[in-house]
């Protein structure tokens, strides 16, 4: 460690050296073509060393290093003074003088750089620069880690929000579907029910006409006494039977249409009631597989063949939806 007096001396030389930064040392109007552009890099190197030394704790230098650096700064001051005082009108061969100064400047810059460069890591360590840099790296690393953790946390929260929104959207879509199709089934059931009543009236009317015709034809009209056996049979039996058969067939046909319409009305009303209770069954369980089972059962209930008793019911399962619960995807129509 060198004494403070020697440190102050070096600092003073550095201040004098810094004054040359405000001067034009590369080109000047009075120099003409004899400028110092080819040593501009060396001049910048000297000023860079100046900045490094000025921010370093010079008191930690050894005496030999301090003397060599002080000598290098003095040489730099000397050569920069020569550049500043260079005049082409006061020398006989300005080109030669300029080249000599450039050569001296290059040697001075390289010498000063070779002296200071090996000492910079040590001075930086003593000055706390490296420690501060390490602390800054740790601090920035911790901040980056915190930002990353916060980002992961926000991403997880956003994913949960997205899942919740998706769940609500699907439930809302299901409720909207129920609210849309339930009135349709109710409306269709009402229309079919009104039509079936008309066909029921037609069936009853034809049945009454059939009975009435059978009663009337029993005693009227009688066959004439002049009619032969075949004529009497044709007049008394065949013609009357034809009329009654037509009326009876019409009554049967109208009755079948009534049965078909009332069957369809009953099925549509059953589907409307099934859709109204669908959400209650689905929302009543938190288990995904149970919900899937409820969904399949509700689908079969709504869209499969429904025995009403009005028409013949077949025992086949062609209208049912057959799915195995274990083969259902994890993300189904209704999410947990």
């Amino acid at each position: 460690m060198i004494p403070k007096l020697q440190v102050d001396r070096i600092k003073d030389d550095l201040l004098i050296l810094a004054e040359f930064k405000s001067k034009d040392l590369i080109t000047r109007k009075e120099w003409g073509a004899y400028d110092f552009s080819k040593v501009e890099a060396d001049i910048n190197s000297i000023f860079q060393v100046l900045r490094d030394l000025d921010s370093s704790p010079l008191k930690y230098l050894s005496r030999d290093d301090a003397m060599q650096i002080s000598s290098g700064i003095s040489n730099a001051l000397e050569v920069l003074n020569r550049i500043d005082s260079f005049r082409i009108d006061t020398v006989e061969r300005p080109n030669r003088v300029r080249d000599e100064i450039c050569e001296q400047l290059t040697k001075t810059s390289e010498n000063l750089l070779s002296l200071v460069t090996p000492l910079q890591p040590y001075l930086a360590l003593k000055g706390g620069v490296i420690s501060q840099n390490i602390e800054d790296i740790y601090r920035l690393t911790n901040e980056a880690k915190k930002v990353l953790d916060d980002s992961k946390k926000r991403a997880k929260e956003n994913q949960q929000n997205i899942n919740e929104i998706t769940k609500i959207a699907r439930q809302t879509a299901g409720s909207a579907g129920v609210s849309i199709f339930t009135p349709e089934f109710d409306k269709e059931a009402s229309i079919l029910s009104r039509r079936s009543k008309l066909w029921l009236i037609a069936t009853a009317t034809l049945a009454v006409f059939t009975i009435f015709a059978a009663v009337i034809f029993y005693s009227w009209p009688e066959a004439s006494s002049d009619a032969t056996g075949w004529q009497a049979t044709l007049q008394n039996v065949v013609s009357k039977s034809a009329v009654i058969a037509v009326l009876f067939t019409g009554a049967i046909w109208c009755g079948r249409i009534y049965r078909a319409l009332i069957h369809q009305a009953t099925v549509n009303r059953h589907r409307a009631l099934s859709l109204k209770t669908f959400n209650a069954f689905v929302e009543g369980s938190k288990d995904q597989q149970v919900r899937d089972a409820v969904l399949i059962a509700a689908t079969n209930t709504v869209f499969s063949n429904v025995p009403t008793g009005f028409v013949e019911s077949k025992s086949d399962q062609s209208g049912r939806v057959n799915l195995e619960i274990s083969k259902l995807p994890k993300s189904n129509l209704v999410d947990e």
Side-chain angles (χ1 to χ4, degrees):
M1 183 179 294
I2 61 177
K4 184 177 182 301
L5 182 62
Q6 191 171 2
V7 173
D8 293 339
R9 188 181 301 115
I10 296 176
K11 290 288 187 180
D12 292 340
D13 291 340
L14 291 175
L15 289 176
I16 298 173
L17 187 63
E19 294 177 358
F20 286 96
K21 293 179 64 176
S22 60
K23 297 181 178 182
D24 295 330
L25 300 178
I26 307 301
T27 58
R28 291 182 184 178
K29 185 178 180 180
E30 60 268 22
W31 291 346
Y34 300 98
D35 57 25
F36 293 88
S37 58
K38 65 179 181 180
V39 291
E40 181 177 2
D42 295 323
I43 295 174
N44 293 333
S45 177
I46 291 174
F47 289 142
Q48 180 62 48
V49 172
L50 163 67
R51 288 191 294 270
D52 293 339
L53 289 174
D54 188 56
S55 60
S56 301
L58 300 178
K59 64 181 180 178
Y60 295 105
L61 291 173
S62 66
R63 294 180 182 274
D64 292 340
D65 291 333
M67 291 178 61
Q68 292 180 5
I69 290 175
S70 181
S71 176
I73 294 174
S74 297
N75 293 334
L77 286 173
E78 179 185 352
V79 70
L80 291 179
N81 275 320
R82 290 191 64 185
I83 294 176
D84 186 42
S85 60
F86 177 69
R87 298 289 185 276
I88 61 175
D89 55 351
T90 59
V91 294
E92 294 182 358
R93 303 177 63 180
N95 187 35
R96 181 177 179 182
V97 174
R98 190 274 312 272
D99 292 342
E100 180 185 351
I101 294 174
C102 289
E103 183 178 356
Q104 181 183 0
L105 178 67
T106 300
K107 291 181 180 181
T108 301
S109 173
E110 291 178 353
N111 180 58
L112 188 61
L113 191 63
S114 64
L115 290 174
V116 175
T117 300
L119 300 174
Q120 284 180 341
Y122 174 74
L123 295 176
L125 179 62
K126 286 296 184 179
V129 177
I130 295 179
S131 300
Q132 183 63 38
N133 290 339
I134 294 175
E135 291 179 1
D136 291 340
I137 291 173
Y138 277 121
R139 179 177 56 81
L140 294 175
T141 302
N142 292 331
E143 291 178 357
K145 184 179 179 181
K146 183 179 179 181
V147 171
L148 180 60
D149 293 339
D150 292 341
S151 299
K152 290 181 179 179
K153 183 178 179 181
R154 285 195 297 270
K156 186 177 180 180
E157 292 176 354
N158 291 336
Q159 184 63 40
Q160 292 176 351
N161 293 334
I162 291 173
N163 293 336
E164 187 66 23
I165 292 172
T166 303
K167 176 183 175 182
I168 295 174
R170 288 177 176 175
Q171 291 176 350
T172 304
S175 300
V178 170
S179 63
I180 291 174
F181 294 111
T182 300
E184 293 294 330
F185 283 123
D186 278 332
K187 180 180 178 181
E188 187 66 19
S190 300
I191 294 174
L192 293 173
S193 181
R194 288 195 298 268
R195 290 181 181 177
S196 67
K197 289 179 181 179
L198 296 177
W199 284 101
L200 179 61
I201 293 173
T203 302
T205 302
L206 288 175
V208 171
F209 278 133
T210 302
I211 296 173
F212 181 75
V215 173
I216 295 299
F217 288 160
Y218 181 76
S219 58
W220 181 87
E222 295 183 355
S224 64
S225 59
D226 297 336
T228 61
W230 286 106
Q231 289 177 345
T233 301
L234 181 62
Q235 184 178 357
N236 294 329
V237 179
V238 176
S239 59
K240 297 177 181 179
S241 298
V243 173
I244 294 174
V246 170
L247 293 174
F248 181 75
T249 302
I252 296 297
W253 183 69
C254 291
R256 288 182 177 178
I257 294 178
Y258 163 75
R259 290 172 59 191
L261 290 176
I262 197 66
H263 169 77
Q264 291 296 327
T266 304
V267 169
N268 280 280
R269 188 163 285 109
H270 165 77
R271 290 173 176 172
L273 291 174
S274 299
L275 287 176
K276 287 179 180 179
T277 58
F278 171 75
N279 283 341
F281 285 107
V282 171
E283 295 175 0
S285 174
K286 299 296 183 181
D287 185 79
Q288 181 63 39
Q289 289 190 350
V290 174
R291 288 188 173 193
D292 293 337
V294 171
L295 177 62
I296 295 172
T299 304
N300 286 326
T301 301
V302 174
F303 298 105
S304 63
N305 296 326
V306 179
T308 62
F310 292 103
V311 297
E312 295 181 0
S313 178
K314 297 182 180 181
S315 60
D316 62 348
Q317 303 294 324
S318 59
R320 297 184 62 84
V321 179
N322 296 318
L323 293 175
E324 296 182 14
I325 300 299
S326 60
K327 294 183 179 180
L328 288 173
K330 293 183 179 180
S331 176
N332 216 312
L333 294 178
V334 182
D335 286 341
E336 185 177 347

